Amino acid sequence: MKWMAALACVLVTSMCLAQAAQSFRPASTNVWGAQYPRIDDAGRVQVRVKAPEADSVRLNFWSGPKLQMQKQPDGFWTVTTEPLVPGFHYYTLVIDGAEVADPGSQAFFGGSRHASGVEIPEPGTTFYSVQDVPHGQVREVWYHSQVTATWRHALVYLPPGYDSQNERRYPVLYLQHGGGEDETGWIRQGRANFILDNLIAARQAEPMIVVMAYGYALRAGESLPEPAPFGSPQMWQAMQHMTSTFEDDVTQALIPFIDKTFRTLTDRDNRAMAGLSLGGMQTFHITLRHLDLFSHIGGFSGAGGVLGDSAGKFDPKTDYEGAFADAAGFAKKVHVFWIGVGTAEPERFHARIGGLHKNLDAAGIEHIYVESQGTDHEWQTWRRALHDFAPRLFRTRKTRS
Amino acid sequence: MKWMAALACVLVTSMCLAQAAQSFRPASTNVWGAQYPRIDDAGRVQVRVKAPEADSVRLNFWSGPKLQMQKQPDGFWTVTTEPLVPGFHYYTLVIDGAEVADPGSQAFFGGSRHASGVEIPEPGTTFYSVQDVPHGQVREVWYHSQVTATWRHALVYLPPGYDSQNERRYPVLYLQHGGGEDETGWIRQGRANFILDNLIAARQAEPMIVVMAYGYALRAGESLPEPAPFGSPQMWQAMQHMTSTFEDDVTQALIPFIDKTFRTLTDRDNRAMAGLSLGGMQTFHITLRHLDLFSHIGGFSGAGGVLGDSAGKFDPKTDYEGAFADAAGFAKKVHVFWIGVGTAEPERFHARIGGLHKNLDAAGIEHIYVESQGTDHEWQTWRRALHDFAPRLFRTRKTRS
């Protein structure tokens, strides 16, 4: 009990000074009552897990340190990391070869599993914090897709005031998760609702609806391939294979459902799509083949298949059925064409996104390229991307369809 | 790949017959692409996890079998259970003494952690299935509570038609999770949204709003006690301690927020509260002290503290500040007073709920008592409870405040 610790402090001052100096506190991403993982102001993370009969326990930050944990006499294993950069970091524990989630953490869907995560605050940064401003609502919807012949789950952010302004119609951003994640990622890990709440309250973004769909789709009757380990070539192959099915689901089932269910503006000028990593690839695939439906495009650490290939294979005349062939026409149609990457991401993402940027420049294709300083292929990069992208949407109306 | 398995079937007929006889298939509660856990028509569950360096892996169904798993030459551990009863079953894996979630399962918040779960279908039962009927929406809301001085998260079910019938107002059911669970339980595990969708489509229940709040609350400035293992006396003590804070949060922050945010009917005749286990205890505590606010009460495998004590301590004249003292007056005020328990629940729940039933009968207090046949202290009991309870709500209006 806290008061017992306080009592102990009165008795043993030195202990308390040592505690204060370290000042570790439970992470905001912990489950109710869990004291670990703990973080300090420098961004160090202390992890602790009970595994009395284990021979080896490792801490595995997916984009960070991989550390052997130390066994304590009480059967708990502990370790403290070096300072981590701010943001949300996925991690797992490897207990005698079994890769599992930490019971002390909330569960976040990534890597095709419910993994653990820890949030390191960024000092002075509040754009993704819950603040005392009007809040939109995140709604869960189920829609029946004739493409997949299944009920599909999506999350929909409705901006503040949606319920009280009964006549108003809103533009729509379709916002996709990455490979191995699902439709909950942009809310749970990305805090997209708070990012939009804060931008809208500051009048920096138009009130908009944000639709977060489940990015995997198999056609009616099609079977799921045998399991492919996360990150394996087979997995990426399966996910790419599903992109054309997802394209049909979005254009034939999801968009009609959203436009029927919510007070949307249904013309192309008022419809955007963006995604991170795999979701960026899907965004390019879907929007560039359906410029009759979309006028704003965002690729966050991810872009089209052949696009951005560092080998320089990009051919603006033929790729994507010639969507880029007419640079002036493209600029007229596409009001925002945004790509970005974190400076600390692995080289292949730089090569791909930075290469795409150069290729687009060389071909005279109007676009916005933004680098996120010091962030990896992680959610802090994508929170910043959304925070930069959303204010640009639905502001100018170069064309009317 | 599926077609390779099909090809193998052509070549090795005997193998395929063996497969067909077993007919294990991935559980509906699995994460995307996970082939395990698998279930068969009899309700057997096959679990499989990779733990190549472990000495011992156990499968732990919380209200079911606890089994030693067998190590296979490939480093995976497997086991097959006896047939389990239909419904949703929480489980964990114990790997060399570490109790963790199964990476193949979706995460369900229970036991103060994200645990694993497996859904065993109940043949012929569709009341909690997603069906081709109009669907309500589940909304996530955040409200600021002056009681806790924090932003609090709740889920709100809005019935089909809420958005299109702009003038219509709806009655409200406040529906609480159990101890160690959270506000997501009634949707993820309980499928309350589908239960309501189906009842409303069949005109068996009034269209209503269902509010699912986070049942833990600490007053502003109050600290969380040190962690108490799930199920320990300290944990129950902490949860009971928080009930009066939660009472203030519900009556002073949550209800005003809901009535301000949604088109509710705000009189007591149109407000109900129910909960399971700990949530039933909280429901009794809150509703019986606020009969000015509530007129329908449900306790699913849980009821008030002293109430239902098998030692027979129930005193209708004095308990709950005399709410039961006037049986006729109580019956006039409380339109539905519902308690229930599963026949396969541990004896202490029978003693408590069954004992309460007898005590209420003896005191001449009008109530409904329903037993769920063959089900344990698990979600199948509470799905059935909601399915029996919801149709009774907001039908009769004995009084008007």
Side-chain angles (χ1 to χ4, degrees):
Chain A
M1 308 287 283
K2 199 90 173 190
W3 60 264
M4 288 180 70
L7 181 64
C9 281
V10 174
L11 301 174
V12 193
T13 308
S14 62
M15 189 182 100
C16 302
L17 290 175
Q19 276 193 338
Q22 288 193 12
S23 75
F24 278 95
R25 58 195 181 280
S28 62
T29 30
N30 288 5
V31 299
W32 182 80
Q35 301 293 307
Y36 290 84
R38 299 161 75 92
I39 58 169
D40 73 0
D41 289 339
R44 278 183 287 254
V45 182
Q46 278 184 343
V47 176
R48 182 172 181 266
V49 66
K50 184 179 175 188
E53 296 143 37
D55 295 319
S56 159
V57 179
R58 284 186 292 121
L59 170 62
N60 176 32
F61 275 97
W62 298 359
S63 296
K66 288 115 173 61
L67 300 171
Q68 196 66 43
M69 296 177 69
Q70 274 74 51
K71 191 173 192 172
Q72 308 302 316
D74 59 3
F76 284 83
W77 295 68
T78 60
V79 74
T80 303
T81 69
E82 291 300 290
L84 306 186
V85 297
F88 175 89
H89 305 292
Y90 285 115
Y91 73 97
T92 41
L93 303 175
V94 184
I95 301 177
D96 284 349
E99 187 176 1
V100 295
D102 180 350
S105 166
Q106 289 177 40
F108 299 94
F109 200 76
S112 298
R113 62 195 301 159
H114 279 99
S116 300
V118 66
E119 178 76 38
I120 309 286
E122 181 166 299
T125 295
T126 58
F127 77 83
Y128 53 85
S129 303
V130 56
Q131 297 187 41
D132 190 12
V133 298
H135 293 284
Q137 288 174 1
V138 177
R139 305 195 189 178
E140 298 188 44
V141 295
W142 286 260
Y143 65 99
H144 194 271
S145 171
Q146 73 278 21
V147 175
T148 62
T150 58
W151 287 93
R152 290 171 63 82
H153 185 238
L155 298 185
V156 181
Y157 168 85
L158 280 289
Y162 181 88
D163 276 337
S164 54
Q165 294 170 52
N166 277 332
E167 301 302 317
R168 184 166 176 180
R169 292 185 164 270
Y170 298 84
V172 185
L173 165 62
Y174 290 80
L175 186 63
Q176 285 304 122
H177 59 81
E181 296 172 336
D182 70 11
E183 73 279 19
T184 64
W186 268 109
I187 299 299
R188 304 276 169 277
Q189 289 95 299
R191 305 173 72 85
N193 51 322
F194 298 128
I195 294 173
L196 267 295
D197 285 345
N198 294 333
L199 285 172
I200 292 168
R203 298 183 174 278
Q204 289 171 5
E206 291 285 322
M208 68 184 78
I209 294 170
V210 183
V211 177
M212 292 150 282
Y214 182 68
Y216 315 112
L218 293 168
R219 288 189 197 282
E222 196 180 12
S223 293
L224 195 67
E226 284 294 304
F230 181 77
S232 66
Q234 298 94 308
M235 190 204 77
W236 293 113
Q237 209 172 7
M239 289 187 177
Q240 293 207 3
H241 165 76
M242 289 189 293
T243 293
S244 80
T245 311
F246 183 56
E247 171 193 353
D248 289 348
D249 179 64
V250 168
T251 56
Q252 295 167 27
L254 180 62
I255 290 177
F257 170 80
I258 294 295
D259 285 341
K260 192 185 70 188
T261 307
F262 299 103
R263 296 194 313 278
T264 59
L265 291 162
T266 59
D267 60 308
R268 68 178 294 284
D269 286 320
N270 286 295
R271 194 178 294 114
M273 187 170 185
L276 73 92
S277 200
L278 172 77
M281 186 272 276
Q282 293 175 325
T283 295
F284 272 60
H285 179 91
I286 294 171
T287 56
L288 293 175
R289 292 161 60 91
H290 297 277
L291 288 177
D292 55 318
L293 295 175
F294 296 94
S295 58
H296 302 72
I297 302 171
F300 306 166
S301 308
V306 296
L307 294 177
D309 191 313
S310 58
K313 284 183 204 147
F314 177 64
D315 183 345
K317 295 297 173 210
T318 56
D319 281 349
Y320 286 99
E321 295 161 23
F324 294 109
D326 170 12
F330 184 82
K332 240 177 141 176
K333 263 195 238 164
V334 178
H335 309 324
V336 174
F337 186 39
W338 194 106
I339 56 174
V341 67
T343 60
E345 293 197 38
E347 179 49 32
R348 67 182 184 282
F349 293 102
H350 280 281
R352 173 158 291 203
I353 311 293
L356 172 60
H357 165 53
K358 288 193 196 98
N359 284 332
L360 290 171
D361 263 356
I365 311 288
E366 204 175 294
H367 67 286
I368 295 151
Y369 174 65
V370 176
E371 290 186 346
S372 167
Q373 292 305 313
T375 60
D376 206 335
H377 199 67
E378 285 195 310
W379 278 96
Q380 199 73 346
T381 300
W382 307 320
R383 290 170 178 169
R384 290 180 182 173
L386 179 61
H387 184 243
D388 187 280
F389 179 68
R392 304 175 187 270
L393 300 181
F394 315 122
R395 295 281 187 167
T396 60
R397 303 284 155 71
K398 297 189 209 165
T399 62
R400 282 280 165 201
S401 57
Chain B
M1 309 288 282
K2 199 88 173 191
W3 59 265
M4 288 179 68
L7 181 64
C9 281
V10 174
L11 301 173
V12 193
T13 307
S14 62
M15 189 183 100
C16 302
L17 290 175
Q19 277 192 337
Q22 289 191 12
S23 73
F24 278 95
R25 58 194 182 280
S28 62
T29 31
N30 289 5
V31 299
W32 181 79
Q35 299 293 305
Y36 288 83
R38 300 162 74 93
I39 58 171
D40 74 358
D41 289 338
R44 278 181 287 252
V45 181
Q46 276 184 345
V47 177
R48 181 171 181 265
V49 66
K50 184 180 177 186
E53 296 143 37
D55 295 319
S56 159
V57 180
R58 284 185 292 121
L59 169 62
N60 176 31
F61 275 96
W62 298 359
S63 297
K66 289 116 172 61
L67 300 170
Q68 196 66 43
M69 296 177 70
Q70 273 76 49
K71 192 172 192 172
Q72 308 302 316
D74 58 4
F76 283 82
W77 295 69
T78 59
V79 74
T80 303
T81 69
E82 290 299 292
L84 306 187
V85 297
F88 174 89
H89 304 292
Y90 285 116
Y91 73 97
T92 41
L93 302 174
V94 184
I95 301 176
D96 284 349
E99 188 176 359
V100 295
D102 180 349
S105 167
Q106 288 177 41
F108 299 93
F109 200 76
S112 296
R113 64 197 296 158
H114 279 98
S116 300
V118 66
E119 179 75 38
I120 308 285
E122 180 166 300
T125 296
T126 58
F127 76 85
Y128 52 86
S129 303
V130 55
Q131 298 188 41
D132 190 12
V133 298
H135 292 285
Q137 288 175 0
V138 177
R139 304 195 190 178
E140 297 188 45
V141 294
W142 286 260
Y143 65 100
H144 193 272
S145 171
Q146 72 278 22
V147 175
T148 61
T150 58
W151 288 92
R152 290 172 62 82
H153 185 237
L155 299 184
V156 181
Y157 168 86
L158 279 291
Y162 181 88
D163 277 337
S164 54
Q165 295 170 51
N166 276 333
E167 301 303 316
R168 183 166 177 180
R169 292 186 164 269
Y170 297 84
V172 185
L173 165 62
Y174 290 80
L175 186 63
Q176 285 304 121
H177 58 80
E181 296 172 335
D182 71 9
E183 74 278 19
T184 63
W186 269 108
I187 300 299
R188 303 276 171 275
Q189 290 93 301
R191 306 174 72 85
N193 52 323
F194 298 128
I195 294 173
L196 267 296
D197 286 346
N198 294 334
L199 284 173
I200 292 167
R203 298 182 174 277
Q204 288 171 5
E206 291 286 320
M208 67 184 80
I209 293 171
V210 183
V211 177
M212 293 150 282
Y214 183 66
Y216 315 112
L218 292 168
R219 289 190 196 281
E222 195 180 13
S223 294
L224 196 66
E226 286 294 305
F230 181 76
S232 67
Q234 297 95 307
M235 189 202 79
W236 293 113
Q237 209 171 6
M239 289 188 178
Q240 292 206 4
H241 166 75
M242 290 190 292
T243 293
S244 80
T245 311
F246 183 56
E247 171 192 352
D248 289 348
D249 178 66
V250 169
T251 56
Q252 296 167 26
L254 179 62
I255 290 176
F257 170 80
I258 294 294
D259 284 341
K260 192 184 70 189
T261 306
F262 299 103
R263 297 195 313 278
T264 59
L265 291 164
T266 60
D267 59 309
R268 67 178 297 282
D269 285 321
N270 285 296
R271 195 177 294 113
M273 186 170 188
L276 73 93
S277 200
L278 173 76
M281 187 272 276
Q282 294 174 327
T283 295
F284 272 60
H285 179 90
I286 295 171
T287 57
L288 293 176
R289 291 161 60 91
H290 297 277
L291 288 177
D292 55 319
L293 295 175
F294 297 94
S295 58
H296 301 72
I297 302 170
F300 306 166
S301 309
V306 296
L307 294 178
D309 190 313
S310 57
K313 282 183 208 148
F314 178 63
D315 182 344
K317 295 297 171 206
T318 56
D319 282 349
Y320 286 99
E321 296 160 25
F324 295 109
D326 170 12
F330 184 83
K332 242 178 142 177
K333 265 196 235 162
V334 178
H335 309 324
V336 175
F337 187 40
W338 194 106
I339 56 173
V341 66
T343 60
E345 293 199 37
E347 178 50 30
R348 66 182 184 282
F349 293 102
H350 279 280
R352 174 156 291 204
I353 310 293
L356 172 60
H357 164 53
K358 288 195 196 97
N359 285 331
L360 289 171
D361 263 355
I365 312 285
E366 205 174 294
H367 67 287
I368 295 151
Y369 174 66
V370 177
E371 291 187 345
S372 167
Q373 292 305 314
T375 61
D376 206 334
H377 199 68
E378 286 196 310
W379 279 96
Q380 199 74 346
T381 299
W382 306 320
R383 290 170 177 168
R384 290 180 183 172
L386 178 62
H387 185 244
D388 187 279
F389 180 68
R392 302 175 189 269
L393 300 180
F394 315 123
R395 294 281 186 168
T396 60
R397 304 283 154 73
K398 295 190 210 165
T399 63
R400 280 282 166 199
S401 57

